[in-house]
Amino acid sequence: MSFSWLGGVRGRTCCASALLLFLILTASPAGARNAFSPQSSSRVTKNDYALIYGTVWGPDDRPVAGVPIRIRRASDKKAKWELVSDSHGEFAQRVPVGAEDYIIVADIKTPKGQPKPETTAHITNNERTDVGIHLTSAASSH
């Protein structure tokens, strides 16, 4: 017994279902942002953050491990974050999204009257900013 008409109905149903699924997935309400639109990446959400990523360099231009790092907003006097450079001399700290300048200081002993090595990072949005702190020979003994 052959049901040749059943294959034709299945084929048309399959094509109609595929077309309907395509239209549902590609249609979006007026004014709504598509997940693939470039504008969606600039929106800031509650879970967004910026990243300050840095490396501590010694006087011989090699990474230095174990250096205490303090990070504060430029408008603050006290450090908000304290961390230590890893075995590759690197450190990373998440900070809130928004236009802000941050001061990153290597918290090491320095000769009297000499400032501690520091650098500044400017954050605008949810981005990564790379910085480097260079130690001098007098300041590298931590």
Side-chain angles (χ1 to χ4, degrees), residues 76-114:
D76 295 344
K77 295 202 184 268
K78 291 181 70 176
K80 181 161 177 104
W81 300 278
E82 296 180 8
L83 45 149
V84 176
S85 63
D86 67 11
S87 61
H88 302 286
E90 299 172 340
F91 60 90
Q93 179 62 51
R94 290 180 178 184
V95 295
V97 172
E100 190 79 50
D101 286 327
Y102 292 90
I103 308 295
I104 301 101
V105 179
D107 193 21
I108 59 174
K109 291 182 182 178
T110 58
K112 191 171 186 172
Q114 239 187 355

Side-chain angles (χ1 to χ4, degrees), residues 25-139:
L25 292 176
T26 58
S28 64
R33 288 191 176 156
N34 185 339
F36 299 107
S37 75
Q39 300 154 345
S40 64
S41 65
S42 64
R43 289 193 345 210
V44 175
T45 65
K46 179 180 160 188
N47 297 328
D48 280 351
Y49 60 89
L51 182 69
I52 297 175
Y53 186 88
T55 306
V56 180
W57 300 99
D60 57 355
D61 290 330
R62 292 185 178 180
V64 181
V67 177
I69 301 295
R70 293 181 184 258
I71 302 175
R72 65 178 171 86
R73 289 182 177 96
S75 59
D76 295 344
K77 295 202 184 268
K78 291 181 70 176
K80 181 161 177 104
W81 300 278
E82 296 180 8
L83 45 149
V84 176
S85 63
D86 67 11
S87 61
H88 302 286
E90 299 172 340
F91 60 90
Q93 179 62 51
R94 290 180 178 184
V95 295
V97 172
E100 190 79 50
D101 286 327
Y102 292 90
I103 308 295
I104 301 101
V105 179
D107 193 21
I108 59 174
K109 291 182 182 178
T110 58
K112 191 171 186 172
Q114 239 187 355
K116 295 183 179 193
E118 69 176 44
T119 190
T120 303
H122 179 74
I123 299 295
T124 305
N125 206 346
N126 54 345
E127 65 201 54
R128 171 181 160 158
T129 298
D130 291 21
V131 297
I133 297 179
H134 296 271
L135 307 178
T136 61
S137 57

